[in-house]
């Protein structure tokens, strides 16, 4: 996820919300209350409804009347809280990348607010971030495993690491006092699907 996350307060006026999106080059932004809890998300499409009705308040014709009816609530809002979409779709920092990707795809969202267990904003993850994480290749995983082992072992050459489709195989000699913690740390690396322990006790 990306931190810090750009957000707007619920009482921010429509024009200021639009300026924030333009300045930060964002398509949507979380709306937060005074306690930094995410209460909704306001997007370009939410603002577009307001701007369109401001420009042409009485659009004529059957298509125009249907369009205006659907956008009524959005078009009459003046602040982030009255323009936003709610309840917000959010994810937790510990949530699996695949679950976050499903949530984003199902809700057709480009960005998901990341909240803690109290619903407070801690970051934002984009569809691009999720896609990159899901398709991270084995070489990148191998590099992260190597780096982790280098921090835990005095002689990293005692182990040989191979990665195939997210499955990490560890072979070599390993101190039994270190093994459980080290292998658990490898399992916790993002996109590691499984760890195959082929080590022998040192």
């Amino acid at each position: 996820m990306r931190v810090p996350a750009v957000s707007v307060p619920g009482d921010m006026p429509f024009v200021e919300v639009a300026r924030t999106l333009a300045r930060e080059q964002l398509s949507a932004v979380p709306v937060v209350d005074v306690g930094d809890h995410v209460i909704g998300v306001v997007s370009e499409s939410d603002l577009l409804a307001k701007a369109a009705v401001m420009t042409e308040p009485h659009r004529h014709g059957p298509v125009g009347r249907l369009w205006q009816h659907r956008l009524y609530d959005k078009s009459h809002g003046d602040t982030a809280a009255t323009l936003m979409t709610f309840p917000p779709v959010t994810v937790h920092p510990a949530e699996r990348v695949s679950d976050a990707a499903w949530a984003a795809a199902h809700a057709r969202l480009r960005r998901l607010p990341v909240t803690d267990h109290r619903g407070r904003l801690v970051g934002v993850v984009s569809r691009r971030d999720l896609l990159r994480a899901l398709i991270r290749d084995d070489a990148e995983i191998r590099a992260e495993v190597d780096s982790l082992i280098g921090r835990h072992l005095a002689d990293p050459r005692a182990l040989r690491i191979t990665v195939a489709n997210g499955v990490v195989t560890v072979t070599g000699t390993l101190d039994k006092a270190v093994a459980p913690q080290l292998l658990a740390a490898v399992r916790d690396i993002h996109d590691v699907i499984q760890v195959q322990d082929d080590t022998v006790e040192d």
Side-chain angles (χ1 to χ4, degrees):
M1 68 179 176
R2 302 181 185 189
V3 293
V6 177
S7 63
V8 298
D11 60 356
M12 178 177 280
F14 156 74
V15 173
E16 290 304 315
V17 177
R19 287 174 178 165
T20 299
L21 290 180
R23 182 179 64 250
E24 301 294 336
Q25 298 183 338
L26 298 173
S27 60
V29 65
V31 182
V32 297
D33 63 15
V34 292
D36 215 27
H37 301 94
V38 178
I39 58 175
V41 174
V42 64
S43 67
E44 289 175 327
S45 61
D46 295 327
L47 301 181
L48 193 60
K50 171 72 173 178
V53 173
M54 286 174 60
T55 303
E56 192 175 356
H58 302 293
R59 190 163 184 167
H60 301 292
V63 175
R65 285 196 297 271
L66 177 61
W67 172 85
Q68 192 169 7
H69 175 72
R70 289 178 177 175
L71 299 182
Y72 181 85
D73 290 338
K74 298 289 186 185
S75 68
H76 286 73
D78 292 313
T79 63
T82 56
L83 291 165
M84 70 185 184
T85 298
F86 66 93
V89 178
T90 64
V91 293
H92 187 271
E95 194 162 340
R96 295 188 307 172
V97 172
S98 58
D99 291 337
W102 275 113
H106 179 72
R108 297 183 178 179
L109 297 174
R110 295 182 181 180
R111 295 163 60 83
L112 288 175
V114 182
T115 59
D116 64 15
H117 66 285
R118 294 184 179 178
R120 294 174 300 193
L121 184 68
V122 296
V124 171
V125 64
S126 69
R127 289 191 302 192
R128 180 174 298 178
D129 296 330
L130 295 171
L131 184 60
R132 285 175 176 170
L134 288 171
I135 64 172
R136 187 162 68 141
D137 63 26
D138 291 338
E140 292 178 340
I141 297 175
R142 163 70 188 274
E144 189 168 347
V145 174
D146 286 343
S147 176
L148 177 67
I149 290 173
R151 295 194 303 269
H152 282 75
L153 298 182
D155 184 12
R157 295 172 298 179
L159 294 179
R160 187 169 69 88
I161 306 298
T162 59
V163 183
N165 299 319
V167 177
V168 178
T169 301
V170 184
T171 58
T173 56
L174 187 59
D175 187 334
K176 64 180 180 179
V178 177
Q181 181 182 359
L182 178 59
L183 295 175
V186 173
R187 290 188 185 94
D188 286 341
I189 293 175
H190 286 303
D191 303 321
V192 169
I193 297 172
Q194 180 183 346
V195 175
Q196 180 67 41
D197 178 14
D198 290 341
T199 60
V200 295
E201 292 183 4
D202 187 359

